[in-house]
Amino acid sequence: MSAASRPLRKLGFLTIGLFDERDPRAGHEATLALIELGERLGFDSAWVRHRHLQYGISSPVAVLAAASQRTSRIHLGTAVIPLGWENPLRLAEDLATVDILSGGRLNPGVSVGPPMRYEEVRDALYPDTADAEDFGHERVRRLLGFVRGEPATGFSGTAGFEAFSDRVQPHAPGLASRMWYGAGSLRSARWAGEHGMNLLTSSVVKAEGAEEAEDFAAIQLSHMRAFRAHHPEGERARVSHGLVVIPTDSATPAQRAKYEAYARERMPRTAAPQGPARMMFAPDLVGGSAEIAERLRAHAAFREVDEVAFALPFTFAPDDYVQILTDMATRLGPALGWRPVA
């Protein structure tokens, strides 16, 4: 499918929300200010990462609850919540509550697998059930069921003076259609399609199949096509693309030098699959918007999507993010056929 057949329809961005341990409020306020800026610039969505026991957002649902009260239009997403840390029933309640507060703008993205550095955190997280926990797709299926309104208990009615529901309350109509799965493997992409979710792709995929199959874009494209082939909506199933993209149109010389050094330091990991899982990383895209647009049009997987959530680098300053987002909205997005939301 040609690039011209899929002009960019939705433009979003993703931030990790770093903060200083000595002043965590300032970092969280900076993240909220960035989301407010995204709405003013006409972005369709803003997404936050999830970081446990680190100096990034540990509670994205709480942060997005705050963002929902400072914005009125922009969609708010998580990319992604690792479900190994979560109880699906309790998470469903939190997600539904924030979706109601936001007016139906929440886009929860989730993933599965054991928690990061599990051997070090297991006794704090699951002191009695660490060896019995299931960190596979069943955890997502349970969450989806609760969000969709499936029974969580066999009882509903009144007991004394209290009324009880047999499903998660509040129930948020439409939230289930905005559930995303962050898939980096063919199996997970296929599973997400079979279960009617939306698909989040990123700058990381698992190299699978023949040893010579080490073309990042080709691997990512195979995941997207497998997802749509197994999704009830087929080609209409939503896929969001998420590379690290750093436009430099209005950057100062010092900012350009910083951005180029950042990408250069990370480039070696893109040369070949990394580790036993053979994870592949896409290069960061740094340059003028016209140049980046051309590189994206040449990207086989990007050509088959019409929405993105470009990832912001982790370690930059607030002024850098303002410049990058402004260039994305005023230069790069329009170069890809996108128009800001009024």
Side-chain angles (χ1 to χ4, degrees):
M1 189 169 289
S2 69
S5 64
R6 284 189 188 265
L8 189 61
R9 184 174 57 89
K10 291 184 180 293
L11 176 62
F13 67 91
L14 167 65
T15 180
I16 194 173
L18 288 180
F19 59 84
D20 186 328
E21 182 182 18
R22 296 164 298 182
D23 185 15
R25 179 175 179 176
H28 286 78
E29 288 286 346
T31 296
L32 293 171
L34 203 63
I35 294 172
E36 291 178 275
L37 173 64
E39 177 159 281
R40 292 196 301 273
L41 289 170
F43 278 85
D44 296 279
S45 62
W47 303 72
V48 294
R49 286 190 185 273
H50 201 147
R51 286 293 183 267
H52 286 296
L53 304 179
Q54 294 178 268
Y55 306 109
I57 294 171
S58 62
S59 184
V61 181
V63 170
L64 295 183
S68 75
Q69 303 307 292
R70 299 192 186 196
T71 57
S72 61
R73 176 199 54 77
I74 194 169
H75 278 235
L76 306 167
T78 63
V80 290
I81 297 173
L83 291 185
W85 295 77
E86 305 290 341
N87 178 291
L89 175 56
R90 276 291 300 116
L91 180 59
E93 292 178 324
D94 287 347
L95 295 177
T97 299
V98 176
D99 193 50
I100 294 294
L101 290 172
S102 72
R105 292 185 284 135
L106 190 63
N107 285 256
V110 301
S111 67
V112 299
M116 186 181 295
R117 307 183 73 89
Y118 187 51
E119 289 305 312
E120 297 162 20
V121 76
R122 52 179 279 158
D123 291 339
L125 187 58
Y126 297 112
D128 302 315
T129 61
D131 292 325
E133 293 293 331
D134 177 4
F135 297 123
H137 288 136
E138 175 60 17
R139 223 174 179 93
V140 193
R141 193 207 62 74
R142 289 172 57 205
L143 175 65
L144 285 175
F146 295 139
V147 168
R148 289 168 176 164
E150 293 178 5
T153 174
F155 173 76
S156 65
T158 58
F161 295 103
E162 297 190 69
F164 292 87
S165 170
D166 62 356
R167 66 177 182 172
V168 164
Q169 295 297 337
H171 177 64
L175 178 58
S177 68
R178 284 178 269 109
M179 296 291 295
W180 297 74
Y181 189 86
S185 71
L186 193 62
R187 175 174 173 265
S188 287
R190 184 182 299 118
W191 188 94
E194 291 170 347
H195 289 79
M197 300 185 75
N198 306 303
L199 180 68
L200 284 170
T201 65
S202 70
S203 57
V204 185
V205 298
K206 184 176 183 180
E208 300 169 288
E211 290 295 321
E212 64 271 20
E214 296 181 1
D215 182 321
F216 179 94
I219 294 168
Q220 191 171 58
L221 179 61
S222 72
H223 295 174
M224 291 162 49
R225 288 183 170 173
F227 165 75
R228 284 180 165 142
H230 290 83
H231 197 286
E233 296 185 8
E235 286 298 307
R236 293 179 291 111
R238 294 178 68 186
V239 178
S240 179
H241 205 262
L243 299 181
V244 177
V245 173
I246 312 174
T248 60
D249 303 85
S250 66
T252 66
Q255 285 174 318
R256 289 193 187 95
K258 180 200 296 187
Y259 303 163
E260 289 165 1
Y262 175 87
R264 190 164 53 248
E265 183 179 359
R266 286 156 51 92
M267 181 62 77
R269 68 178 188 163
T270 70
Q274 304 291 303
R278 304 192 75 235
M279 303 308 294
M280 290 198 67
F281 297 83
D284 303 332
L285 302 183
V286 181
S289 288
E291 174 192 352
I292 291 176
E294 284 305 308
R295 293 176 68 182
L296 287 171
R297 291 191 189 100
H299 193 287
F302 181 86
R303 289 200 297 265
E304 295 203 12
V305 301
D306 62 4
E307 54 187 297
V308 298
F310 289 138
L312 297 175
F314 292 172
T315 56
F316 290 0
D319 287 348
D320 299 329
Y321 295 138
V322 170
Q323 175 266 311
I324 292 169
L325 286 190
T326 301
D327 282 355
M328 277 187 189
T330 61
R331 307 286 186 86
L332 179 57
L336 294 169
W338 174 81
R339 292 294 178 266
V341 180

